[in-house]
Amino acid sequence: LASIRARLEPSADAMLPLSLLTTAKGNPMLVELKNGDTYNGRLVNADSWMNVSLEEVICTSRDGDRFWRLAECYIRGNSIKYLRIPEVVIDMVQEDEVVKEKKVKNFQQR
């Protein structure tokens, strides 16, 4: 429980969403839109406005009764309600940030 709480509580070294999306490229993710539709696919690209491009997508209607298979899709960042990203990607971002912090500390010690 403590480890879950530590992951959920904001900290001084909280990761930025953009660095998370950059690391998540090539990995599967779920995107839920504000209108309730969901998109499951592999992240191809994300920009600074959190617009995302997905490929091999399965779109599900908000009611869950209709499905579409799309080769690719583009989703505007301002229509996204939330993103679900695999745990391994979150761990990769945390490891990358630790490496960056070490590099900064080593540089400052010069």
Side-chain angles (χ1 to χ4, degrees), residues 25-38:
K25 286 181 184 176
N27 288 288
M29 68 180 336
L30 175 134
V31 180
E32 182 173 338
L33 304 184
K34 292 176 183 176
N35 70 4
D37 292 348
T38 60

Side-chain angles (χ1 to χ4, degrees), residues 1-80:
L1 183 62
S3 64
I4 294 171
R5 186 175 297 127
R7 283 183 173 266
L8 297 177
E9 291 176 356
S11 64
D13 56 17
M15 66 187 77
L16 296 172
L18 193 54
S19 64
L20 182 62
L21 287 175
T22 302
T23 305
K25 286 181 184 176
N27 288 288
M29 68 180 336
L30 175 134
V31 180
E32 182 173 338
L33 304 184
K34 292 176 183 176
N35 70 4
D37 292 348
T38 60
Y39 291 78
N40 284 290
R42 194 163 41 87
L43 181 64
V44 175
N45 201 4
D47 63 19
S48 57
W49 293 279
M50 289 184 64
N51 300 322
V52 296
S53 297
L54 301 174
E55 63 184 11
E56 301 171 11
V57 182
I58 296 177
C59 176
T60 307
S61 67
R62 79 178 85 174
D63 303 330
D65 59 351
R66 290 177 293 171
F67 301 91
W68 298 270
R69 184 177 299 265
L70 307 169
E72 58 186 14
C73 72
Y74 178 83
I75 302 171
R76 285 187 51 146
N78 68 350
S79 65
I80 295 174

